Amino acid sequence: MPRNAYFVAIAFFGTINGLFNTGVLSFVFFHVLLLSPAILFGSGPLTFMFSSLITATATIIAAGIPAAIYERVRGQADSDEVSLLIWMAGTALLTLPAMGRFLTIGL
Amino acid sequence: MTTGTIFAHWYFHLPNFILAALFYTLLGRVLLGIVVDADSKNYIWRFFCRVTDPVVNAVALVTPRAAPPILVWLFSLVWLFLARVALYFALATSGLLPVQTPGA
């Protein structure tokens, strides 16, 4: 599979989690309002979109940790197909709680 | 944001301030990185890099090598924000968070 296909899949799963994982999203939204009230001029909709972006990115970085550990243990200078597969699988696993809602509602 | 006396609750305010300062400095680095070369001698750029490099290097350790530098900077921003959330959450659940007192 081409590298770009992995990146698209990772971004897709992250986006789904950022949009449909209401539990994590509401937790992050509450904390963005609390810790950075001025970052988006107090706008509720903008803050919600920012929270969604944070949730999606957090999904991707959390799933990237096992892949990064694998690369460091193997002493690789660049990501290979296995580490990208680990990254994608981790993102897919973290997105499972949001998948039901995504399949019900759709994009 | 609930606040107490800053000196009485330094264990919350000090780390929170440092994390917030790093967050906004890194945000500045990301925005400046769009118009400035990575090896630029601009003093603001060098200051941003010097302050945020330890965070970026730490995040790079737990990020797959396929991620380009600007993505590592953006990941660092999220890590810093999550660190603030973790600090707030840890102190809130242990009852050590400064409590806002109603005005007289």
Side-chain angles (χ1 to χ4, degrees):
Chain A
M1 198 157 91
R3 280 169 75 97
N4 282 351
Y6 285 108
F7 296 141
V8 168
I10 288 163
F12 169 78
F13 286 126
T15 305
I16 296 305
N17 207 38
L19 289 171
F20 293 98
N21 196 333
T22 50
V24 177
L25 190 52
S26 52
F27 178 83
V28 172
F29 180 65
F30 169 75
H31 281 91
V32 171
L33 282 177
L34 209 62
L35 294 167
S36 303
I39 194 169
L40 292 160
F41 320 106
S43 165
L46 278 179
T47 306
F48 190 79
M49 287 170 72
F50 179 73
S51 306
S52 183
L53 188 65
I54 290 273
T55 306
T57 313
T59 306
I60 292 168
I61 61 177
I65 294 171
I69 291 170
Y70 168 81
E71 288 172 10
R72 300 307 180 278
V73 168
R74 294 286 305 269
Q76 293 173 194
D78 195 14
S79 300
D80 63 354
E81 192 141 0
V82 177
S83 66
L84 289 174
L85 193 63
I86 292 170
W87 198 0
M88 188 185 73
T91 318
L93 277 175
L94 290 173
T95 308
L96 278 179
M99 265 302 166
R101 195 167 289 104
F102 164 65
L103 293 172
T104 305
I105 299 169
L107 283 175
Chain B
M1 180 82 227
T2 54
T3 52
T5 310
I6 287 177
F7 292 111
H9 300 289
W10 64 268
Y11 53 84
F12 168 70
H13 292 295
L14 186 64
N16 189 46
F17 177 82
I18 290 168
L19 288 170
L22 282 170
F23 178 90
Y24 288 110
T25 308
L26 195 51
L27 192 60
R29 180 177 177 172
V30 170
L31 294 173
L32 201 60
I34 296 167
V35 292
V36 167
D37 288 336
D39 57 348
S40 170
K41 294 284 180 262
N42 180 285
Y43 66 97
I44 298 172
W45 173 251
R46 282 188 291 120
F47 170 77
F48 281 176
C49 290
R50 190 172 299 173
V51 169
T52 58
D53 267 346
V55 178
V56 171
N57 291 339
V59 170
L61 284 175
V62 290
T63 305
R65 293 197 195 275
I70 194 155
L71 202 58
V72 177
W73 301 347
L74 292 169
F75 285 178
S76 304
L77 277 175
V78 176
W79 274 110
L80 285 169
F81 183 79
L82 293 176
R84 288 182 72 197
V85 170
L87 174 73
Y88 184 92
F89 201 71
L91 292 178
T93 50
S94 58
L96 293 169
L97 202 66
V99 180
Q100 193 172 27
T101 51

